[in-house]
Amino acid sequence: MRKKVLWACVTLGLSAFAICALFYNGGFSFAEFLQDIKSASPLWLCAALLCAFAFIFFEGRALALILRALGYSVKKRRGFLYAAADIYFSSITPSATGGQPASAWFMSKDGFKGAQVAAALLLNLTMYTLALVGIGFFSIIFFPHVFIEFNTASKLMILFGILMMTALAVFFILLLKRQSLVRKIGNAIVFVLKRIRLESFAEKFRLKLDSAIEKYNECVAILAGRKRFLARIYLLNLLQRSSQILVTVFCFFAMRGDFENGLKIFAIQTYVALGSNFLPVPGAAGVSEFIMYFGYMTMMGEEEACALAILSRGISFYACSAISLFAVILGYFTIGRDKKNKEEKQ
């Protein structure tokens, strides 16, 4: 818990530094920024907030469908909780997958077994990664000039992100299609445990591993043979990724009313997502803001670019994290009650 609090403080510190730096570099005050917000279209700002909510909803829907495919009855609100836990804890940890243990914890409290949880989270993470790769290739094919207009530092981060996302997607697919790879990874962990003279713990781990892998293989076999189901999960993840990117597009519409350049803003924000996704910074705080700023500078002045970066980041990341945190707190206090009611019905 202390570690999570520490990372949350680090994220807030980095965020505050990034926002102050953007205000300083953009050459305008907080009062001017508030005036920009007041003059923005309320309709498009509401659409942006709805997209932030949809970012959580679509992941929750995907997780619920995967667990149902494995034979469990899962309500939509529980799927939303699992997604909220994933998104919130990912936002305060350096790893892009830092929220998955929290999501797994809530699933285990609802009675799901470790193998089912692992298979569900891995499949969803694979589709999540493939969705961003797919949107990224769309931007590269149709908007290569947008990438060229970024500064050198942003280009390097974007290229690194594309490389890492593609490699990670391949690795996740191999984990799903070649279950022997899971066993090799497990055996490597056992070998390390024995090397550091934890033979007893290593043997217990190996026995649990054999049982878990057998159940994991059964789960993967159930999921892998359903092409229409997999296409549906991919579509939900595509909608989730698109929802997050559309926050910026709708903020752009709200502030400028420029509907002709909506696709270009979408492409810029896609490159931002690619460039910031794999850097070891909690929630990519600071990194996203600056790539956004330099990307928007190719279309507008410093003041407008700074305002759009802060507003869109404020909704897509901070508002989304706040919604997720509220759902996690509510879920934490109600999960015991729900479990008790379920036991009484049985």
Side-chain angles (χ1 to χ4, degrees):
M1 176 58 92
R2 289 182 179 179
K3 188 176 180 181
K4 296 297 184 184
V5 172
L6 174 63
W7 280 122
C9 293
V10 171
T11 304
L12 288 174
L14 289 171
S15 301
F17 173 78
I19 292 172
C20 290
L22 282 175
F23 273 123
Y24 176 80
N25 197 55
F28 67 98
S29 66
F30 185 70
E32 291 175 322
F33 174 67
L34 289 178
Q35 186 58 44
D36 290 334
I37 302 300
K38 290 179 181 178
S39 60
S41 167
L43 180 64
W44 287 114
L45 288 179
C46 287
L49 284 168
L50 185 62
C51 282
F53 180 85
F55 180 68
I56 309 171
F57 172 81
F58 285 125
E59 179 177 344
R61 183 65 176 150
L63 287 171
L65 286 178
I66 294 171
L67 291 169
R68 287 177 186 176
L70 292 173
Y72 292 96
S73 176
V74 183
K75 295 180 179 179
K76 291 180 181 179
R77 61 185 177 86
R78 302 309 289 179
F80 190 89
L81 171 61
Y82 305 150
D86 181 18
I87 291 167
Y88 174 71
F89 285 100
S90 289
S91 71
I92 63 170
T93 52
S95 172
T97 59
Q100 291 218 320
S103 184
W105 184 85
F106 278 107
M107 290 182 185
S108 66
K109 288 296 180 180
D110 280 339
F112 300 115
K113 303 300 181 182
Q116 288 85 347
V117 170
L121 290 174
L122 179 58
L123 175 59
N124 193 64
L125 186 58
T126 302
M127 294 302 183
Y128 183 81
T129 306
L130 288 173
L132 183 55
V133 171
I135 297 173
F137 279 120
F138 169 83
S139 296
I140 292 169
I141 293 170
F142 293 101
F143 297 95
H145 61 282
V146 172
F147 171 76
I148 294 171
E149 291 172 353
F150 276 95
N151 62 355
T152 302
S154 297
K155 287 179 184 176
L156 290 174
M157 286 187 282
I158 292 167
L159 289 173
F160 176 75
I162 292 172
L163 178 64
M164 292 302 296
M165 289 295 289
T166 303
L168 192 63
V170 172
F171 177 69
F172 288 155
I173 291 171
L174 287 175
L175 283 178
L176 288 170
K177 296 186 73 68
R178 296 180 180 272
Q179 287 81 39
S180 59
L181 183 60
V182 179
R183 185 173 293 278
K184 289 179 180 179
I185 294 173
N187 290 337
I189 295 173
V190 171
F191 175 78
V192 171
L193 290 173
K194 288 183 177 179
R195 291 286 292 180
I196 59 176
R197 299 181 179 181
L198 294 173
E199 288 86 357
S200 177
F201 182 76
E203 184 60 25
K204 292 179 181 178
F205 177 82
R206 187 188 64 78
L207 293 173
K208 290 183 178 179
L209 179 68
D210 291 340
S211 175
I213 288 177
E214 183 180 350
K215 294 176 181 176
Y216 171 81
N217 291 343
E218 293 174 0
C219 295
V220 170
I222 293 171
L223 298 173
R226 304 172 61 178
K227 293 182 180 179
R228 291 183 63 182
F229 164 76
L230 293 176
R232 191 176 180 186
I233 300 301
Y234 177 77
L235 178 61
L236 286 168
N237 277 273
L238 196 63
L239 289 170
Q240 183 195 13
R241 285 291 196 178
S242 298
S243 296
Q244 188 180 41
I245 295 170
L246 283 172
V247 169
T248 299
V249 177
F250 292 154
C251 287
F252 176 72
F253 290 165
M255 298 184 73
R256 297 195 67 183
D258 182 1
F259 304 110
E260 294 181 2
N261 288 307
L263 281 175
K264 186 175 181 180
I265 285 290
F266 187 92
I268 289 174
Q269 196 59 34
T270 300
Y271 287 125
V272 171
L274 288 167
S276 62
N277 206 63
F278 270 91
L279 295 178
V281 179
V287 178
S288 288
E289 286 87 347
F290 283 104
I291 300 179
M292 290 163 74
Y293 173 72
F294 288 116
Y296 303 155
M297 280 279 289
T298 63
M299 294 182 60
M300 59 192 78
E302 289 185 7
E303 184 177 325
E304 286 183 297
C306 182
L308 179 59
I310 294 172
L311 176 60
S312 60
R313 180 68 167 163
I315 294 176
S316 65
F317 179 73
Y318 301 105
C320 184
S321 296
I323 296 170
S324 298
L325 176 59
F326 176 78
V328 168
I329 293 173
L330 187 64
Y332 179 81
F333 285 108
T334 59
I335 196 166
R337 183 197 64 192
D338 292 345
K339 186 176 181 181
K340 184 179 179 179
N341 291 339
K342 187 177 180 181
E343 289 175 351
E344 289 176 353
K345 289 180 179 179
Q346 292 177 346

